[in-house]
Amino acid sequence: MGLLQLSFVLCIFCIISVLGFGVDPALRISLFNELRLGDTFAGVSQVQGFHNESRAFIFQDTARELKAPEGVADEILKKLRNRKEFTILATVKQEPLNSGVILSVHHAEQRFLELESSGHRNEIRLRYRTESQQPHTDIFPYTLADGRWHKVSVALSASHVLLHVDCNRIYEKVVEPPSMDLPEDTSIWLGQRNSAHGFFKGVMQDVELLVMPQGYISQCPDLNRTCPTCNDFHGLVQKIMELQDILAKTSSKLSKAEEKMNGLDRCYCERTCNVKGLLYREDESWTDGCKNCTCSNGTALCQPISCSPPLCPPDSAPAYVTGRCCQELTFVTLRPAFPSPPACLSLSAGLPFPLRRPAFPIPPACLSLSACHDFCAEGHNCMENSDCVSLEAGPSCRCRDGFRALRDDEAYCEDIDECAEGRHYCRENTACVNTPGSFMCVCSTGYIRIDDYSCTEHNECDSGQHACDENALCFNTVGGHSCSCKPGYTGNGTLCKALCEGLCQNGGTCVSPDTCICQAGFTGKRCDTDIDECSSGFVECDSRAVCVNLPGWYHCECRDGYHDNGMFSANGESCEDIDECGTGRNSCTNDTVCFNLEGGYDCRCPHGKNCTGDCIHDNRVKHNGQIWVLESDRCSVCSCQTGLVMCRRMVCDCENPTVDLFCCPECDPRLSSQCLHQNGLLAYSTGASWVESCQQCQCLQGEVDCWPLSCPPVDCDFTVVPEGECCPRCVADPCQADTIRNDITRTCTDEHGLVRFSGSSWIKRGTECTLCQCKNGHVCCSVDPMCL
């Protein structure tokens, strides 16, 4: 009950916000006001509107360019970007037979939102892109181009689309949610698709975009809305579950943050120093060998200990004592072998032998290894970076290479920074890096080593150590290299792609300059020619079916008088006869009897009865032999022949000066009736047809009208449209499917243990880029391409 009550409250709030208080101006975009539409635009002029004294504009000439300026477009795109619910409103009076665009929001060939009315096919088309980044077109059979005023409203929500005309609900469809991930340079056009196509002819008034669902209520305030629909309720439940998920995660993070905050209350944060595995606090001092050190802002600052000269009596001398950094006054008894006293010595008394200078110089070390005594093994006071040397007279300390003494006996030594003091031999193209006891000469970027002290320029192009693409040229430069794509290729040099003039069409791949590899079903230098599998004899359909060629594909379609039994076999074996008599799909009058035939029927007169041979068509009696033009198609002629109605397209006689050019466009010789192809390179005569981007296009009296290709039905839960093709095919793996037949009763359980409805998506726990979806009970996860 809680969810129902909440959905009811939200729906009532939505209706009140529209009816009672009006639409928030921040949610309303008036295209006339934003574009400042007036007489300044060629081909557009102001006229009397639908209401008295209301403002409207007539769109006449095709030489016009109603495009929102960059600054205006940016403001509109900000309101539309990433929205999933919006409504297009317009009041129009469109010329008969005109096929024109009312509003178009597109980037290159990507149509994010486009509303078009086709007077040639009597339909309204809504084009947009889905969340799966697939182009989608909803077609509503309705004649809008009839020269009369109409109020049009198309409301697109996260789950369905509604069409209202003159405040009457015409259609409602369940759809895949739209994507409004609009690039920065997306363009907005009014009354046309671009500067060459889709020109609307007629009068328009009050063209608006409402960034909200159910916006038709502002156009037709007397309308009420049943609330909520199944789609609304489904979306509401899903949102509540997502909010519960977010709330649970946020509560957990908040709890952990509070624990850390409580711990911080007992902490004093400071930068400490870590030296030789010991931790020192800020401003703490310590002694490291013969250096005094202090921790300052996380850095250990050390200086050699400053020693005061010892004051020895006249009969003594200073000497170093083990474990001390400065000389001290000490009285010891000398051994005769020592060349000099190791401490302050008394020279007047207490000696067991007289002091005298030896008659020969004492060598600095033992000259004969066999005669040396290892005094160092008996113990010494040499510290880190100082080596003990056994002399003839006893142990002595010597600083290692690259270190200098901190006191006279070299028991304590510090590293010499050769780089800072200029005591290095690094030459040009190198950088000096100090190391303990030495230094290194590191080569600058783009150079290679000659010896320990010098480097020379490295030719990456010759050595192959470059980042250029295999289809690029490498140019050596000072300290590096540059890459440039070879002729016939395009790119930045590190990535080069083959360039094909005119590009490869229909999913073809440019593998080398001016060489395209085509997808199956296409051929030609640019893969622009569809292979007609039907006429080439590649396909053999059942006798009850006829082969229908499609761009890149084909299918076997049931002949007239047959229909598919639901099995949808590829070769048409699933086609079965339609019982026109049993289903009432016949034109036999009451005085004849219907007899079903294979692929048709017959109207037979009972024996002994004189039948009229009349027909029933569109609930009207047509006399035997009568010929008439269809009301819904002025180009089709029907006749009644002994109870059977037969219709065919009108035969075109271009020699007839009164020929209907609408039905016979091929008879129109006027240059003004020719059309320009979407690529701007080809011109078509009126009546010509072609396929472009999975759409069937036709040139009619100078206007290009395109509609989606009809695809054969597929009876399966999971479908995919292969690259380069236009129609879906069945697949067994739901995770490979582009489209699924969602069943709301089939749910998934995510990694949190939460139940997800079919069609919902979420980011997998513990990741930022793994996007998961529930597809009819199957969990499908993949890396979000936006993270790559």
Side-chain angles (χ1 to χ4, degrees):
M1 281 300 292
L3 293 177
L4 287 172
Q5 292 173 348
L6 179 58
S7 63
F8 179 77
V9 170
L10 290 176
C11 187
I12 293 298
F13 174 78
C14 181
I15 293 177
I16 291 176
S17 66
V18 176
L19 288 177
F21 304 101
V23 178
D24 185 350
L27 303 178
R28 184 189 294 272
I29 303 171
S30 173
L31 274 300
F32 284 1
N33 293 339
E34 295 292 343
L35 270 64
R36 298 180 182 178
L37 202 60
D39 295 330
T40 56
F41 286 93
V44 180
S45 56
Q46 186 169 334
V47 295
Q48 175 66 40
F50 175 64
H51 306 289
N52 292 334
E53 299 181 358
S54 60
R55 185 179 63 157
F57 291 90
I58 184 169
F59 294 70
Q60 293 174 313
D61 300 330
T62 56
R64 62 173 186 258
E65 191 164 334
L66 263 69
K67 178 182 178 183
E70 184 176 350
V72 173
D74 289 343
E75 293 301 318
I76 296 176
L77 295 177
K78 286 180 182 178
K79 295 183 179 181
L80 288 177
R81 189 166 283 118
N82 297 323
R83 295 280 188 167
K84 297 186 182 301
E85 297 181 322
F86 38 81
T87 304
I88 304 175
L89 303 176
T91 303
V92 300
K93 184 168 70 171
Q94 187 177 7
E95 293 183 5
L97 302 180
N98 169 247
S99 294
V101 171
I102 298 174
L103 176 67
S104 180
V105 179
H106 65 267
H107 177 262
E109 295 300 322
Q110 300 178 358
R111 303 179 192 179
F112 291 95
L113 183 62
E114 184 176 283
L115 182 62
E116 181 182 22
S117 170
S118 172
H120 292 293
R121 296 180 62 84
N122 297 320
E123 58 191 27
I124 299 173
R125 305 177 191 133
L126 176 67
R127 294 184 172 94
Y128 58 92
R129 292 186 71 82
T130 64
E131 278 188 341
S132 58
Q133 299 303 313
Q134 297 297 320
H136 182 78
T137 302
D138 278 313
I139 298 178
F140 309 101
Y142 195 89
T143 303
L144 199 63
D146 57 4
R148 295 194 292 266
W149 281 105
H150 294 286
K151 290 182 178 180
V152 184
S153 167
V154 180
L156 189 62
S157 76
S159 57
H160 62 285
V161 59
L162 289 91
L163 170 67
H164 284 79
V165 179
D166 299 327
C167 298
N168 297 309
R169 180 177 297 190
I170 306 300
Y171 292 100
E172 179 172 3
K173 290 184 178 180
V174 176
V175 297
E176 185 179 351
S179 171
M180 295 297 282
D181 186 12
L182 303 171
E184 291 295 332
D185 52 348
T186 298
S187 58
I188 301 174
W189 297 77
L190 180 64
Q192 58 196 101
R193 177 174 296 116
N194 49 45
S195 59
H197 294 101
F199 290 100
F200 177 91
K201 295 180 181 179
V203 184
M204 283 201 290
Q205 178 178 346
D206 301 332
V207 181
E208 294 181 335
L209 270 170
L210 300 185
V211 190
M212 57 180 291
Q214 307 171 24
Y216 54 84
I217 299 178
S218 68
Q219 189 185 62
C220 303
D222 294 334
L223 281 179
N224 202 346
R225 190 191 192 291
T226 303
C227 177
T229 66
C230 293
N231 291 318
D232 295 334
F233 183 75
H234 165 69
L236 181 62
V237 170
Q238 185 63 45
K239 289 296 182 183
I240 291 176
M241 294 179 66
E242 292 176 358
L243 288 174
Q244 290 175 338
D245 184 18
I246 295 174
L247 180 60
K249 293 179 180 178
T250 305
S251 299
S252 175
K253 292 180 180 179
L254 181 60
S255 177
K256 293 179 180 179
E258 288 178 346
E259 292 179 2
K260 292 183 178 180
M261 290 295 294
N262 293 333
L264 289 176
D265 291 340
R266 300 186 297 270
C267 296
Y268 170 71
C269 297
E270 61 179 348
R271 300 190 65 179
T272 59
C273 301
N274 193 330
V275 180
K276 297 180 180 179
L278 298 177
L279 196 65
Y280 298 95
R281 301 183 61 181
E282 180 73 10
D283 295 331
E284 185 177 355
S285 299
W286 70 95
T287 300
D288 183 6
C290 289
K291 294 184 288 186
N292 287 328
C293 302
T294 303
C295 181
S296 176
N297 196 27
T299 303
L301 303 178
C302 299
Q303 296 289 337
I305 292 177
S306 178
C307 297
S308 301
L311 301 175
C312 292
D315 56 351
S316 64
Y320 287 107
V321 178
T322 303
R324 303 294 180 88
C325 295
C326 298
Q327 293 177 326
E328 298 182 4
L329 181 63
T330 304
F331 291 92
V332 296
T333 302
L334 289 178
R335 292 185 298 172
F338 277 90
S340 60
C344 290
L345 306 177
S346 175
L347 304 178
S348 59
L351 293 177
F353 57 87
L355 270 176
R356 63 170 180 251
R357 185 178 298 275
F360 54 88
I362 300 175
C366 297
L367 299 178
S368 172
L369 294 178
S370 61
C372 283
H373 178 72
D374 190 358
F375 295 103
C376 294
E378 296 176 353
H380 60 84
N381 62 345
C382 302
M383 306 303 291
E384 185 181 9
N385 303 322
S386 177
D387 294 329
C388 178
V389 179
S390 290
L391 302 179
E392 184 177 352
S396 180
C397 297
R398 295 290 183 270
C399 288
R400 296 174 183 169
D401 291 341
F403 295 88
R404 65 163 61 91
L406 289 173
R407 69 182 199 184
D408 296 343
D409 64 348
E410 301 187 28
Y412 292 89
C413 306
E414 67 175 351
D415 176 52
I416 299 173
D417 189 343
E418 294 87 355
C419 299
E421 298 180 10
R423 301 171 61 179
H424 64 85
Y425 313 107
C426 296
R427 302 175 65 83
E428 62 273 5
N429 306 324
T430 65
C432 180
V433 177
N434 187 60
T435 60
S438 185
F439 62 92
M440 292 177 58
C441 299
V442 180
C443 292
S444 302
T445 304
Y447 293 84
I448 57 174
R449 184 173 301 281
I450 298 177
D451 52 34
D452 289 343
Y453 308 107
S454 56
C455 301
T456 187
E457 184 182 344
H458 178 205
N459 191 328
E460 295 94 341
C461 298
D462 290 343
S463 65
Q465 297 178 355
H466 58 79
C468 299
D469 188 89
E470 62 178 355
N471 294 312
L473 300 174
C474 180
F475 299 95
N476 190 57
T477 61
V478 176
H481 66 281
S482 63
C483 306
S484 179
C485 293
K486 295 178 181 178
Y489 294 87
T490 181
N492 58 8
T494 57
L495 181 63
C496 297
K497 293 183 178 180
L499 183 62
C500 292
E501 184 180 354
L503 303 179
C504 300
Q505 301 180 22
N506 299 309
T509 303
C510 186
V511 294
S512 62
D514 270 350
T515 303
C516 296
I517 297 296
C518 301
Q519 291 276 359
F522 293 95
T523 186
K525 186 176 181 180
R526 296 289 171 264
C527 304
D528 52 355
T529 303
D530 172 52
I531 298 176
D532 189 343
E533 293 87 353
C534 298
S535 62
S536 61
F538 292 159
V539 181
E540 184 176 350
C541 294
D542 188 85
S543 60
R544 295 162 293 182
V546 59
C547 182
V548 178
N549 185 60
L550 292 173
W553 199 31
Y554 65 92
H555 74 102
C556 296
E557 188 176 88
C558 295
R559 295 180 182 273
D560 291 339
Y562 296 90
H563 71 106
D564 197 280
N565 59 13
M567 302 302 293
F568 301 109
S569 61
N571 64 350
E573 291 181 352
S574 55
C575 295
E576 62 181 20
D577 175 56
I578 298 174
D579 185 358
E580 292 86 355
C581 300
T583 59
R585 298 170 58 180
N586 63 82
S587 58
C588 300
T589 56
N590 293 332
D591 60 353
T592 59
V593 178
C594 179
F595 282 84
N596 186 59
L597 302 175
E598 184 71 17
Y601 65 95
D602 190 15
C603 300
R604 299 179 183 178
C605 185
H607 182 70
K609 186 175 180 181
N610 187 17
C611 297
T612 62
D614 293 342
C615 307
I616 297 178
H617 185 262
D618 288 340
N619 296 322
R620 296 178 182 177
V621 176
K622 302 293 183 180
H623 299 297
N624 187 24
Q626 183 178 349
I627 301 175
W628 68 96
V629 177
L630 283 178
E631 293 183 0
S632 59
D633 183 5
R634 76 187 203 190
C635 301
S636 294
V637 178
C638 299
S639 63
C640 175
Q641 299 178 9
T642 62
L644 297 177
V645 174
M646 293 182 291
C647 298
R648 59 178 174 80
R649 292 284 295 179
M650 185 183 298
V651 177
C652 293
D653 180 10
C654 295
E655 300 297 328
N656 185 358
T658 62
V659 65
D660 189 343
L661 294 181
F662 176 76
C663 299
C664 303
E666 64 272 19
C667 299
D668 189 350
R670 296 173 299 177
L671 291 176
S672 60
S673 297
Q674 292 185 345
C675 300
L676 192 65
H677 187 272
Q678 289 91 329
N679 60 21
L681 301 177
L682 301 175
Y684 291 96
S685 60
T686 183
S689 298
W690 67 95
V691 175
E692 174 71 18
S693 301
C694 295
Q695 294 189 103
Q696 182 69 51
C697 299
Q698 187 177 22
C699 174
L700 292 172
Q701 298 180 10
E703 292 185 358
V704 176
D705 193 16
C706 300
W707 55 93
L709 284 171
S710 58
C711 291
V714 286
D715 186 23
C716 51
D717 290 336
F718 312 110
T719 60
V720 63
V721 179
E723 184 179 359
E725 296 186 8
C726 301
C727 294
R729 298 190 183 188
C730 294
V731 292
D733 185 359
C735 296
Q736 295 181 355
D738 294 333
T739 307
I740 62 173
R741 186 183 297 169
N742 276 324
D743 182 357
I744 195 173
T745 63
R746 303 183 67 178
T747 60
C748 303
T749 303
D750 66 10
E751 63 277 5
H752 302 286
L754 297 176
V755 176
R756 303 278 185 173
F757 286 106
S758 182
S760 63
S761 59
W762 67 95
I763 300 298
K764 188 175 182 181
R765 182 179 185 180
T767 68
E768 295 181 356
C769 296
T770 303
L771 180 66
C772 297
Q773 290 180 291
C774 179
K775 295 185 175 182
N776 277 11
H778 300 270
V779 177
C780 302
C781 298
S782 60
V783 177
D784 189 348
M786 299 300 293
C787 294
L788 299 178

